[in-house]
Amino acid sequence: MRVLGIDTSCDDTSAGVSDGPRRVLSSAVHSQHDLHAAFQGVVPEIASRAHAERISLVVRRALAEADTPLEALDAVAVTVRPGLVGSLLVGVAFAKALAYARGLPLIGVHHIEAHAISARADHDDLEYPFVALVASGGHTALYACRGARDIVRLGQTHDDAAGECFDKVAVLLGLPQPGGPSVSKLATEGRPTAVAFPRYRAEGDAIAFSFSGLKTSVLYFLKGPAGRRDAPNRPDLAVTIPDVAASFERAAVENLIRPTLEAVAREGVADLVVGGGVAANRELRRLLAERAPGGVRVRFPRPALCADNGAMIAMRGAELLALGERSPLDVDVDPYAVD
Ligand code: KG4
Ligand code: ZN
């Protein structure tokens, strides 16, 4: 079963081909980082224009790399929610046109549900039920994945997404975007216990995340006498900028881990899946493996499938296709969908 998946939900134009719900044949991603770099964030209008310019080429590349001509496709899957409205519309319009022209089924996919199942490509034995942590630049949420059509959100961030927090702290530290990889790289030279940044604790028994308090703490630490940016290596304090990066990263990772392990315990599952751009973080991988209780398997996708990609949309599309799901050709985008 060959499914083409398209994702243009944010700032990467991507397409991929899957052979069923757990096998990736290709993944083509055209990143827009260079276009948005000067703005320190994604500019929606620039993003949608760039998607429109690149989508044909990216789809062609995905089909060629999978050695799959258009005639061999069984369906076209596309992200319809959530995301930037103008960006989503480009992928959805392209997918509709292709599905109509080739007489193929169209399958609208929820972007975050696709992140939640993307680890399946690298773990043949991963089956429902499992808990999924999806942490990216736009989302940080936990899902109980009880079946292909029974994916329930358990909790999410009250404010910033984890990746967004890494990106903003990178700006504060004068590091390049995307902030996750650059903060993480500098952190390898610092001490994670040098600065006691606050950890978030949800009220009562709520499963929730928060990152804005941590971001503000880093800001005030850098502004304040204890760690001025213009005196980053004060011997009297012995706190360096790499120390700040490492301490921030440890706090951010612990903020992700606590509610995640709570969700795993409550759901009583043996598998924990992590997805989204932040899943590429090495400290998160290391600490989660160390702190997960015995008997819980922690599954990460390969780094290329952590960030936004069309291949995960194709896998999720294949799964829904097998269950008989189809979207009408007038399916609309839903930019703010959360569940
Ligand atoms: O999933 P993704 O590609 O796009 C969104 O849907 O947002 O995630 C991108 C986010 C960025 O905020 C980036 O800084 C973060 O993932 N990220 C990381 C790492 N690699 C990417 N955060 C922490 N550590 C990393 N190694
Ligand atoms: Zn994403």
Side-chain angles (χ1 to χ4, degrees):
M1 179 206 288
R2 299 271 164 120
V3 177
L4 170 68
I6 295 173
D7 184 90
T8 59
S9 59
C10 188
D11 60 339
D12 289 326
T13 314
S14 63
V17 177
S18 84
D19 184 5
R22 51 171 78 241
R23 210 162 96 84
V24 169
L25 297 181
S26 69
S27 176
V29 181
H30 199 321
S31 162
Q32 298 182 8
H33 284 148
D34 49 337
L35 299 181
H36 303 282
F39 305 98
Q40 293 181 350
V42 175
V43 183
E45 188 54 32
I46 293 177
S48 22
R49 284 171 195 232
H51 285 312
E53 281 166 15
R54 299 164 176 191
I55 182 81
S56 300
L57 271 174
V58 171
V59 167
R60 270 174 216 253
R61 220 169 79 210
L63 291 170
E65 278 169 21
D67 213 1
T68 302
L70 281 177
E71 298 72 45
L73 285 180
D74 294 296
V76 181
V78 63
T79 300
V80 291
R81 60 182 177 275
L84 299 171
V85 63
S87 290
L88 286 168
L89 279 169
V90 176
V92 171
F94 189 94
K96 282 178 180 176
L98 185 60
Y100 179 68
R102 307 293 318 177
L104 293 170
L106 176 72
I107 301 160
V109 168
H110 190 303
H111 178 85
I112 306 178
E113 290 178 1
H115 271 305
I117 59 94
S118 57
R120 210 159 48 193
D122 297 310
H123 302 279
D124 271 347
D125 58 337
L126 177 60
E127 302 286 352
Y128 296 108
F130 55 85
V131 162
L133 165 67
V134 178
S136 69
H139 312 279
T140 299
L142 278 162
Y143 291 84
C145 302
R146 297 169 186 151
R149 282 164 134 169
D150 189 4
I151 297 181
V152 178
R153 200 185 66 206
L154 300 172
Q156 64 170 338
T157 178
H158 287 305
D159 39 60
D160 293 354
E164 184 185 359
C165 190
F166 270 91
D167 295 340
K168 287 182 175 159
V169 167
V171 173
L172 297 177
L173 297 178
L175 299 172
Q177 296 295 319
S182 52
V183 170
S184 205
K185 187 159 171 258
L186 189 65
T188 58
E189 296 161 27
R191 294 165 301 156
T193 52
V195 188
F197 289 124
R199 269 57 167 170
Y200 174 73
R201 278 196 102 108
E203 277 182 29
D205 60 359
I207 290 185
F209 302 95
S210 169
F211 290 94
S212 74
L214 173 58
K215 176 187 68 188
T216 310
S217 303
V218 175
L219 173 69
Y220 282 118
F221 183 82
L222 291 169
K223 275 181 129 182
R228 292 227 307 270
R229 256 174 93 173
D230 54 356
N233 297 301
R234 281 176 47 171
D236 53 328
L237 288 165
V239 173
T240 64
I241 290 294
D243 285 341
V244 176
S247 302
F248 157 73
E249 183 180 50
R250 176 65 62 85
V253 163
E254 288 188 342
N255 275 352
L256 284 170
I257 289 180
R258 181 202 296 269
T260 301
L261 294 184
E262 175 63 29
V264 168
R266 281 196 213 172
E267 285 293 307
V269 293
D271 285 293
L272 166 62
V273 171
V274 189
V278 182
N281 185 275
R282 277 206 226 125
E283 183 69 356
L284 176 65
R285 289 174 179 242
R286 190 186 69 75
L287 265 192
L288 208 44
E290 191 181 294
R291 298 197 185 164
V296 173
R297 294 173 294 251
V298 189
R299 324 282 207 145
F300 287 91
R302 71 191 85 160
L305 294 184
C306 289
D308 289 350
N309 65 89
M312 69 182 186
I313 307 301
M315 284 193 291
R316 177 70 176 148
E319 174 171 65
L320 295 173
L321 180 74
L323 292 170
E325 209 161 291
R326 306 281 185 274
S327 298
L329 278 174
D330 64 352
V331 65
D332 209 351
V333 298
D334 185 3
Y336 303 111
V338 281
D339 293 315

